[in-house]
Amino acid sequence: MSTQVTGRPQRTLPEVDLAPLRRRRRRALAVQVACTAVTLFMAVPILLIALAAVSSRQSLAEFPKSLIPSEFSLETLQAFVSATGTLPAFGNSLLVGLYTVFWSLVVGAPAGYALARHVFRGKDAYRVFMLLVRALPIVVLSVPLATMFLRLDVYDTVFATTLVHTTLALPTTVLITASIFVSVPTDVEEAAQVFGCTRWQAARRVVVPLALPGLAASSIFTFVLSWNEILGATVVTLGHRTLPAQVLTSLAEASVAYRFAGGFALIVPALLFIFLMRRYLLNMWGTTLR
């Protein structure tokens, strides 16, 4: 029933349709549930390995095993660290990972920049060809490389392992950096050249800082790939193995405690590297950590 206000009828507003808001909330809840499920899927094995690594040998020998160990002890980790070849292998893995990140960026970032800024015949075919390198089994690449390294007298060195890992990481580094450089507007680079910068200076002072989150994401992927790679490092090394290769060759005669400690030791450095680089990775997704 309408009423008179200042001589004019007052209209009743229609009811607000809350269905779109409810659908949006349901979608947000579904995304949160999916993210939680994926996080648990990845975090639970890491947690179980960590608990087993800090358990005593008596707890590991119990049957049935409880989810939470009945007794905690660092003797398993201490035995793993004090084992012959563990610390040198850890140093080799760290050096190989950092060298692989460095050379992958030195070679792959300029190639990605060229793919992003230049148009040439066969560009798409070139990208597919680079991905074919990742499609080849590692054995196909490792055996010829090992033969070449023996002839060049660089077999069983950190340098040889770095070359293998860089070969494996270059295709993804080039494609990731190319997609990052494409997202950087060419206007800012041209504006820098207008103000007196050469093309190299504009790329170094303007494009690279804007693409830094993407370069950091590429370095994370490269380091984790190098740290977890086993077969290539096993083929091209004998006395200077990386930590995964060292653990793999010791599994046959190793105890269960050694295996859990080795798995935990392989996980922690990669997680620390990702934690240190997380700010750049999240900035690439438009999120800022405070």
Side-chain angles (χ1 to χ4, degrees), residues 11-290:
R11 295 182 179 179
T12 303
L13 296 177
E15 295 183 1
V16 178
D17 186 10
L18 298 178
L21 181 59
R22 295 193 188 98
R23 287 195 298 268
R24 183 175 181 181
R25 288 178 177 176
R26 285 196 295 267
R27 285 195 297 267
L29 180 61
V31 170
Q32 292 293 332
V33 171
C35 292
T36 303
V38 172
T39 303
L40 290 176
F41 178 78
M42 294 186 296
V44 168
I46 297 176
L47 178 61
L48 294 178
I49 291 175
L51 290 175
V54 296
S55 302
S56 63
R57 295 179 181 268
Q58 292 77 13
S59 299
L60 293 176
E62 291 178 353
F63 184 83
K65 294 182 175 62
S66 59
L67 184 62
I68 304 299
S70 59
E71 183 181 358
F72 291 93
S73 176
L74 295 178
E75 60 178 348
T76 301
L77 289 175
Q78 291 174 354
F80 173 78
V81 172
S82 60
T84 304
T86 299
L87 291 180
F90 176 82
N92 292 335
S93 288
L94 190 61
L95 287 176
V96 170
L98 295 178
Y99 287 158
T100 303
V101 170
F102 174 77
W103 288 113
S104 296
L105 290 178
V106 167
V107 178
Y113 178 82
L115 285 176
R117 289 292 188 262
H118 299 285
V119 178
F120 53 89
R121 183 178 299 177
K123 182 177 179 179
D124 294 335
Y126 176 70
R127 292 178 177 178
V128 175
F129 178 76
M130 285 191 299
L131 287 177
L132 289 178
V133 177
R134 296 292 299 149
L136 292 174
I138 182 61
V139 177
V140 176
L141 296 174
S142 298
V143 175
L145 286 175
T147 304
M148 182 180 67
F149 293 156
L150 285 171
R151 294 178 178 177
L152 297 177
D153 199 21
V154 293
Y155 182 80
D156 194 18
T157 60
V158 172
F159 176 71
T161 311
T162 301
L163 287 180
V164 174
H165 290 182
T166 304
T167 303
L168 296 176
L170 265 181
T172 52
T173 301
V174 172
L175 295 179
I176 291 175
T177 54
S179 63
I180 296 301
F181 285 128
V182 166
S183 64
V184 178
T186 58
D187 297 341
V188 294
E189 188 174 1
E190 294 173 354
Q193 295 181 26
V194 169
F195 283 101
C197 291
T198 62
R199 189 177 185 87
W200 162 250
Q201 291 174 339
R204 181 172 58 88
R205 297 181 180 180
V206 178
V207 178
V208 172
L210 293 176
L212 189 59
L215 297 178
S218 175
S219 67
I220 291 174
F221 181 84
T222 301
F223 182 84
V224 173
L225 184 149
S226 173
W227 185 269
N228 294 330
E229 203 282 323
I230 297 178
L231 186 57
T234 304
V235 172
V236 300
T237 58
L238 186 62
H240 298 81
R241 296 190 184 277
T242 58
L243 187 59
Q246 179 71 20
V247 172
L248 177 65
T249 54
S250 304
L251 286 181
E253 62 274 2
S255 61
V256 176
Y258 179 90
R259 298 176 185 180
F260 281 120
F264 182 71
L266 292 176
I267 292 172
V268 171
L271 292 179
L272 289 177
F273 186 81
I274 294 174
F275 177 79
L276 293 175
M277 303 295 288
R278 75 192 190 285
R279 181 180 299 273
Y280 300 104
L281 182 62
L282 294 177
N283 285 343
M284 185 184 68
W285 292 336
T287 307
T288 302
L289 284 178
R290 298 185 182 276

